[in-house]
Amino acid sequence: MQSSLPLTIDRAAGLPLHLQLAEQFRAAVLDGRLQAGHRLPSTRDLARELEVSRSVTQAAYDQLHAEGWIEGRTGAGTFVTDVVPLQPAVRRRTQHRPDADAKLLTLRPGIPYIAPTPDPGWRRAWREVSTQSPPGGYDDAAGIPALRAALADHVARVRGIACGPENVLVTNGTVHGLRLLLTVTRQPGDRIAIEDPGYLNAVVAARDHRLEIVDVPVDEDGLQVGALTDAAAVYVTPSHQYPLGGRLPVARRNELVRWARRTGSLLIEDDYDSEFRYDVAPLPALAQLDLERVVHLGTLSKTLSPALRLGWLVASEAMVDRLATFRADAGDWPGWPMQAATLAMLRDGYLDQAVRRGRRLYADRRTHTCAVLSPYGQIVGQDAGLHITLLLPDDADDLRIAAAAREAGVVIAPLSEYRRTVPGPPGLVIGYATPSTTDLHRALTILTEILSRR
């Protein structure tokens, strides 16, 4: 069936209908059949023309809006954006073996999709900053007071942490907050427990501070609290264990906090991927159980962009004061323009909009990725986040598979990269957020060809 737009649906094709529409729309813009500023029919009218449900056309528009191809104008309708991606030059290539100049397709985890055109909410925030004069002196080392208050409201609303601005310290992101915390609170030789497999940057930070790392196994529910031994601190990703994806259940959270109270240990909660759940609402943060024992680390890296280098640390007032005092001496805190822009985005609801848009986009990609890869192993961690982990048979060599994929033009992470001393099956940690939808399909096709030859 064809509409007045250059769009056709094929119910016999393997690609979902809304992805067919989105793919054809991109092609029509790139080859000039659809021009910038073209007003699009409503989702209801387009659904009627194509004889499909409105949910199909709405999902296609959501996808295109998330990628920056279309924009809504209040009271006017939906239009093709006035800035579109440059169509890449066509290169001749052999079967899935890119030449030296070809761009690799990245399926590394933890990197969000960045639309090729800036969102109106993003532009509004920066226009507002450009009309303000910078502060006359140095900023508060803990962060702009108004931003700390807005972040306190944000984490209270979306993560259930009862706190005020005095509990919030603005950081340059999760790793920056972790390193600051380790610098101020830990001594060389202190023991820190870290999930295994787990976040490599946390391991590197601990080693840089000359801490003794205690590897703690994880299972389908996350950190195995019963395996904890004596440690001055525990680094944990309870919302979506990285990289296997378990969600620490309430009973284990309570057990972990009781253990920390008993031992005097500091719990460092990396709130990894808490924004993107596709099954149920996220559990409240670990920090809401005991802000005296838990330090909570959050970031905008997954919701907006890793390049922003802005996040937050939530802790007891005494801990925040201690960290801010150190930073005042070190001169190490985010600059005023980024903080002011973040404040505008929080105040105007742009961050919430970005999260809602991201959930719709990533939920579709997750479903497609799981459907394509499920014949090749056991998929875990698919209920949240920006990646899934494909567990492979014990005789598989995930390092070799990752190397073959890179040779074919696709970058993926072998699970063995995340393991240290705790044994476990081989696997692939596959991010589905970063590439365009078209590139995601291409990358998965290449990957399945490699897996089928394993």
Side-chain angles (χ1 to χ4, degrees), residues 8-21 23-24 368:
T8 303
I9 61 170
D10 180 2
R11 297 184 185 276
L15 195 64
L17 298 185
H18 72 285
L19 295 181
Q20 291 184 37
L21 298 182
E23 200 164 88
Q24 292 174 45
H368 179 67

Side-chain angles (χ1 to χ4, degrees), residues 57-325:
T57 54
Q58 183 64 60
Y61 276 26
D62 286 345
Q63 177 86 24
L64 294 166
H65 184 269
E67 295 180 11
W69 296 87
I70 63 177
E71 63 181 358
R73 301 177 188 171
T74 304
T78 303
F79 297 82
V80 179
T81 53
D82 56 359
V83 180
V84 297
L86 180 67
Q87 185 173 12
V90 176
R91 290 192 176 98
R92 299 180 63 183
R93 61 177 69 195
T94 57
Q95 181 181 7
H96 297 317
R97 291 181 61 86
D99 57 39
D101 296 326
K103 179 183 177 182
L104 291 172
L105 301 173
T106 299
L107 297 184
R108 297 285 298 191
I111 307 174
Y113 176 78
I114 305 299
T117 56
D119 186 277
W122 172 264
R123 293 196 296 264
R124 282 195 302 271
W126 284 101
R127 278 198 300 268
E128 179 176 321
V129 173
S130 71
T131 65
Q132 303 175 34
S133 296
Y138 290 104
D139 299 332
D140 189 318
I144 296 175
L147 176 57
R148 295 172 68 194
L151 287 171
D153 290 342
H154 175 75
V155 298
R157 176 169 55 86
V158 304
R159 303 301 295 121
I161 305 174
C163 66
E166 69 278 3
N167 300 114
V168 177
L169 182 118
V170 182
T171 70
N172 285 328
T174 297
V175 175
H176 176 253
L178 173 62
R179 285 180 171 272
L180 175 65
L181 188 65
L182 296 182
T183 298
V184 173
T185 67
R186 302 272 69 88
Q187 298 294 324
D190 283 355
R191 290 163 58 90
I192 182 171
I194 300 180
E195 299 158 329
D196 185 2
Y199 188 37
L200 296 181
N201 284 346
V203 175
V204 172
R207 287 175 178 163
D208 287 348
H209 285 80
R210 293 182 291 167
L211 305 181
E212 180 184 345
I213 298 173
V214 179
D215 297 324
V216 183
V218 300
D219 57 22
E220 64 275 8
D221 288 328
L223 180 80
Q224 295 184 23
V225 179
L228 285 171
T229 57
D230 178 43
V234 179
Y235 173 87
V236 60
T237 53
S239 296
H240 189 225
Q241 197 279 326
Y242 187 77
L244 295 183
R247 180 177 66 163
L248 203 66
V250 171
R252 277 200 197 177
R253 292 172 184 239
N254 292 340
E255 182 185 1
L256 180 58
V257 170
R258 283 195 294 268
W259 178 88
R261 289 172 175 172
R262 186 174 66 253
T263 62
S265 179
L266 178 69
L267 302 182
I268 305 171
E269 176 185 29
D270 181 344
D271 202 34
Y272 187 78
D273 275 351
S274 67
E275 306 91 342
F276 301 113
R277 286 212 71 87
Y278 312 115
D279 53 349
V280 296
L283 285 175
L286 187 66
Q288 60 92 25
L289 296 175
D290 191 337
L291 207 54
E292 295 296 320
R293 293 257 60 89
V294 183
V295 174
H296 175 93
L297 301 174
T299 180
L300 295 178
S301 292
K302 308 300 183 297
T303 50
L304 296 182
S305 169
L308 296 183
R309 311 312 308 152
L310 195 131
W312 51 88
L313 179 152
V314 183
S316 67
E317 184 176 359
M319 178 66 77
V320 168
D321 287 344
R322 186 178 173 188
L323 297 172
T325 298

